Amino acid sequence: MPPSHAGSARRSAPEMSSALTVVAALARAARKYPHKRAVVVNDRCRSYGELVERADRVAAALRGAGVRKGSKVALLMGNEIEFVEVYFGALTAGATLVVLNARLKGAELTVLIRRSGARWLLFSEPLRQTVDALDPTPQDELTLVEVGACGLALANPCARPLRARSRRRGIAAKIRETDDACILFTSGTTGVPKGAVLTHRNIFFQALHHIVEWDVRCDDVDVYPAPLCHGGGVAALARTVLAGSTLILMASFDAQGFVALLERERATRAALVPTMCALILDLPQLLAAAARSLRLIVTGGGIMPFDLKQRLIERLPGVGICDSYGQTESTGSVACLRPVDALRKPGSIGRAFLLNEIRLVDDADAEVAAGEVGEIVVRGPTVMNRYIGEPEATARALRGGWLHTGDLARQDEEGFLYVAGRKKDLIISGGMNIYPREVEQVLCRHPAVVEAAVIGVPDAVWGESVVAVVVPRSGTAPGADELIAWCRERLAGYKKPRRVEIVEALPKDPLGKVAKAQLRHRFGSLHEPEVHVRSMEDES
């Protein structure tokens, strides 16, 4: 074994509580596969031996800068090889890593850093202007560390290099599975993002779930084009080192580059959001030829429209399509629809992962009957520990020992779940519940509609009215009356949209979820008040 890997290989076997961490998983993978590719970004690669050695160097540098077990270290980077090194290095040092979205700007980041309590901020050179735009107070309170190919350097006014020596005794903290590992912020669709505190146990068992539920193998080559700063990225890093597979990252997604990457790397797996799938299917080239090694595509970040899934299956015969469902507070996915059920259960998110339990409950937390709509609540080893600094919000979210997701769903006789929408998005019109997801699915079946989002707007008579925001297919121009009539033929009259807005694209977050708050801000009032009073008979 080459000298650069020898120190890592001599690590003693961890006790069981420490073994259930991704740090221990990386060490095991380095001992088993020292020369195997662990992670690749563009033309840069790290073997498992190199990755564990560089993670140790990062840990040594952080310890030299004063980071100790439990210290909160913020990370602001894109999909770069250094992100992976810092991620494992900070965890090795015992830090709690505050993972920030690199697309955020000064004021947005300032709020999150303050909420997290981080005292160190590690960032990549391309994001220096973003860091400079932080409010002066947090900048003064933070130790700024610039991360580059040559290592780590303090970036405060009196900059000096950090000591990043090779691994030595004492840099690795004694980590327990119950220790805090990461703080990931929610998307903030209902207000200021909350910081979900995830333990080493949460992340380890999420990786284990992926391996079991998605048949991850040690010889897999997994292409991951989404940002690492989300729950899916943290889980992708964890499952890679636990399985000993290879992870191919994209610095940014483009459909042409993704397909070329599949062919060049002979990829066996890929993770995509529905929007990415749509862009790939718009390419004129023969997708099946480029993806001949591909075995499975896992989709997340939103429910895959059924017609889009059908097109993908037709273009990629023999490739399994697996839909996943989850949220930040559950360390990502908690349920999935396996490929064998992809066409048999249209619109379903599948069933709970191996060690998860899912129930559907009413407002009093009583379980609803089969076929009725209730809130999804989850219990299992991947549910977050708490929200950072928000004990009341934590108590509400985790009451009764179950994570209350805020998502509404129904369950069929086989236990398959179907999401009806966000509880906060529920539209109540004339005392009748309207689930936006149901209306959106009907609209998306119209041949001229690519995407649709449904919101409720204030109505002086009925409380709320339904507004549909629609993206038409290229070359088509569906009229509002046509789409409203389409819905009325397929839904109860009170569910049909009263207004249809045609847009070129729906606003979305980095993972492809529709930003309904922006739609409500833009379209959240009727153009003109109704001059007649409708009866419930009119709407039946």
Side-chain angles (χ1 to χ4, degrees), residues 172-473:
K174 189 171 185 178
I175 302 167
R176 303 284 184 176
E177 62 174 274
T178 53
D179 291 337
D180 295 345
C182 288
I183 298 174
L184 298 181
F185 283 94
T186 63
S187 58
T189 54
T190 59
V192 178
K194 296 181 177 66
V197 181
L198 307 178
T199 65
H200 285 270
R201 173 185 171 84
N202 292 153
I203 298 170
F204 181 90
F205 276 97
Q206 184 66 297
L208 186 62
H209 273 158
H210 287 193
I211 291 170
V212 172
E213 300 286 351
W214 299 342
D215 187 26
V216 180
R217 307 170 187 175
C218 67
D219 58 353
D220 269 330
V221 177
D222 192 347
V223 177
Y224 190 84
L228 286 173
C229 59
H230 298 286
V234 169
L237 292 174
R239 73 166 177 261
T240 297
V241 299
L242 188 58
S245 56
T246 298
L247 184 65
I248 312 294
L249 300 174
M250 294 186 72
S252 60
F253 175 80
D254 74 274
Q256 191 74 50
F258 172 81
V259 174
L261 199 56
L262 291 183
E263 185 168 23
R264 184 171 70 250
E265 292 289 347
R266 299 182 62 81
T268 59
R269 300 167 41 81
L272 298 168
V273 300
T275 303
M276 294 175 181
C277 294
L279 293 171
I280 291 165
L281 289 173
D282 285 342
L283 296 175
Q285 66 199 78
L286 294 175
L287 183 58
R292 60 186 180 277
S293 300
L294 202 60
R295 182 164 61 79
L296 182 71
I297 292 176
V298 177
T299 69
I303 298 172
M304 174 86 89
F306 188 63
D307 66 328
L308 181 61
K309 184 188 294 185
Q310 284 181 307
R311 289 173 58 207
L312 195 60
I313 290 173
E314 289 170 3
R315 292 279 298 276
L316 292 173
V319 177
I321 308 298
C322 181
D323 297 285
S324 69
Y325 161 81
Q327 57 182 203
T328 303
E329 292 91 335
S330 58
T331 323
S333 302
V334 294
C336 72
L337 183 71
R338 296 188 174 189
V340 67
D341 299 308
L343 298 179
R344 189 173 74 90
K345 296 288 184 178
S348 175
I349 59 169
R351 294 183 282 204
F353 278 177
L354 177 68
L355 299 177
N356 288 337
E357 297 176 75
I358 290 179
R359 297 168 58 225
L360 303 181
V361 301
D362 61 19
D363 288 341
D365 284 346
E367 196 160 354
V368 302
E372 292 185 0
V373 174
E375 182 182 4
I376 298 174
V377 295
V378 181
R379 182 168 66 184
T382 65
V383 171
M384 69 171 182
N385 180 275
R386 66 191 184 282
Y387 289 124
I388 187 75
E390 299 193 62
E392 293 181 3
T394 299
R396 286 194 301 272
L398 299 179
R399 64 185 182 273
W402 294 78
L403 171 65
H404 290 66
T405 67
D407 287 326
L408 298 171
R410 63 179 178 83
Q411 194 169 35
D412 68 16
E413 66 283 354
E414 294 183 70
F416 286 82
L417 296 159
Y418 297 79
V419 172
R422 291 289 293 167
K423 193 173 183 178
K424 293 180 175 63
D425 291 339
L426 175 67
I427 302 168
I428 302 178
S429 182
M432 304 295 286
N433 289 348
I434 301 169
Y435 301 101
R437 176 70 183 159
E438 183 182 13
V439 184
E440 290 162 358
Q441 287 177 320
V442 169
L443 284 165
C444 286
R445 290 202 292 269
H446 189 285
V449 174
V450 173
E451 288 185 290
V454 168
I455 59 173
V457 301
D459 186 294
V461 175
W462 298 98
E464 286 185 291
S465 293
V466 178
V467 170
V469 185
V470 170
V471 178
R473 291 193 184 280

Side-chain angles (χ1 to χ4, degrees), residues 476-492:
T476 66
D481 291 342
E482 175 188 351
L483 294 176
I484 292 171
W486 172 273
C487 290
R488 178 146 198 169
E489 290 173 4
R490 293 160 176 81
L491 294 167

Side-chain angles (χ1 to χ4, degrees), residues 53 154 308:
E53 178 71 18
L154 291 176
L308 181 61

